[in-house]
Amino acid sequence: APRGALRARPGRAARQPLQGRAGARRAAARGVEGRQDHQAGQGEHRALQADRGARAVTAGRGHAIGIAPHRAAGNLAQPFRLRCADGRELAAHWIPSPARRAVLVINPATGFPQTFYFRLASYASERGYDSLVYDYRGMGASAPARLAEETCRMSDWGLFDMRTALAEAAARAGGLPVATLGHSVGGQFLGLLTNHELARAHVQIAVSVGYWPWEHAPFKYLAWWFWRVHGPLMLALKGYVPTGGGWSGLPLPRGVY
């Protein structure tokens, strides 16, 4: 599970003692710099809050949810359906660039909807990249109404969904370079892409080891709770893993969990 979907409290950093006059001078200098950084940070925070307050989330037909109004006019997301080799259809969006020079495929993390990446796709569009974003089967807009009846497995994401998305992007590219950006499992499943040569580059972000005992505390304990306690309990009660209980991502089908 990606770190962003599991909640954790950051621990306090240990304080290191300073010795001697040189240490005192360094501490004083750091104190001045720290105050300056804090003041600058407050200004940036206020500006960011003001910018966020001016943004609106639109859910109109053909509009990308989560794209700021001042960007949405030139970067309308075009909804369409991706049809995989096994016949399964996925909800997807194509976000074109007004000055296209390449194509980007965004393979999402577990529990993250495609709308999470709309701002990134908009940013890429402003820099000449058409972007393809989509939901894996069993996730977000690609999930059935009754998630407990979903029969997909997580491996299907790499064996079918990611391959289909890359092939679609390459077909739409018209000879332009194609790159993939894999977030968490979207990067881990790169080895399942038998058509990986369609992309000139594969970028991976936040691709963890995927094995909870190898993680650092406190995240490893949250992962243990999720995999060994919360998940099995929810599967027994509901037939899927809902949002909550430490898991902030989208609900997970049995085969994905």
Side-chain angles (χ1 to χ4, degrees):
R3 289 177 180 268
L6 291 175
R7 302 188 184 95
R9 283 188 175 182
R12 293 184 178 178
R15 296 180 179 178
Q16 299 296 332
L18 296 173
Q19 298 179 355
R21 295 181 179 178
R25 286 195 295 271
R26 287 195 297 271
R30 276 197 295 269
V32 173
E33 294 173 357
R35 287 193 296 272
Q36 293 173 342
D37 291 343
H38 177 68
Q39 292 170 353
Q42 285 184 323
E44 293 174 0
H45 177 72
R46 286 192 293 268
L48 179 60
Q49 290 298 105
D51 179 62
R52 286 175 176 170
R55 298 183 182 204
V57 176
T58 61
R61 180 174 286 181
H63 288 69
I65 301 173
I67 294 182
H70 66 281
R71 295 182 178 178
N75 299 328
L76 293 182
Q78 303 167 1
F80 70 102
R81 306 290 292 184
L82 278 172
R83 186 173 181 83
C84 299
D86 63 346
R88 184 71 179 261
E89 290 192 352
L90 311 176
H93 282 84
W94 181 262
I95 301 179
S97 172
R100 63 194 309 255
R101 61 188 179 92
V103 174
L104 178 67
V105 183
I106 302 178
N107 297 314
T110 304
F112 283 71
Q114 59 178 300
T115 51
F116 177 81
Y117 303 96
F118 276 172
R119 289 178 63 188
L120 172 61
S122 179
Y123 177 88
S125 174
E126 292 174 350
R127 285 149 184 80
Y129 288 82
D130 292 348
S131 295
L132 191 160
V133 296
Y134 65 102
D135 286 323
Y136 297 128
R137 61 187 65 197
M139 305 299 295
S142 297
R146 295 178 59 85
L147 196 58
E149 298 176 358
E150 174 62 67
T151 60
C152 74
R153 300 180 62 84
M154 180 179 277
S155 57
D156 292 337
W157 296 353
L159 294 172
F160 296 102
D161 303 355
M162 290 172 59
R163 293 179 187 179
T164 302
L166 178 54
E168 177 70 17
R172 291 182 177 228
L176 293 174
V178 178
T180 70
L181 188 152
H183 180 196
S184 191
V185 72
Q188 292 171 341
F189 279 0
L190 176 59
L192 298 179
L193 286 180
T194 54
N195 59 348
H196 62 85
E197 74 283 351
L198 293 177
R200 179 176 296 184
H202 299 278
V203 180
Q204 299 170 317
I205 56 174
V207 179
S208 62
V209 296
Y211 184 50
W212 73 265
W214 293 349
E215 297 284 359
H216 296 291
F219 180 77
K220 67 186 299 182
Y221 303 117
L222 286 171
W224 177 88
W225 161 263
F226 177 69
W227 291 116
R228 299 297 179 89
V229 180
H230 178 68
L233 179 61
M234 291 299 102
L235 288 180
L237 295 176
K238 295 179 175 292
Y240 66 96
V241 180
T243 303
W247 173 251
S248 60
L250 293 172
L252 303 179
R254 180 182 296 274
V256 168
Y257 174 81

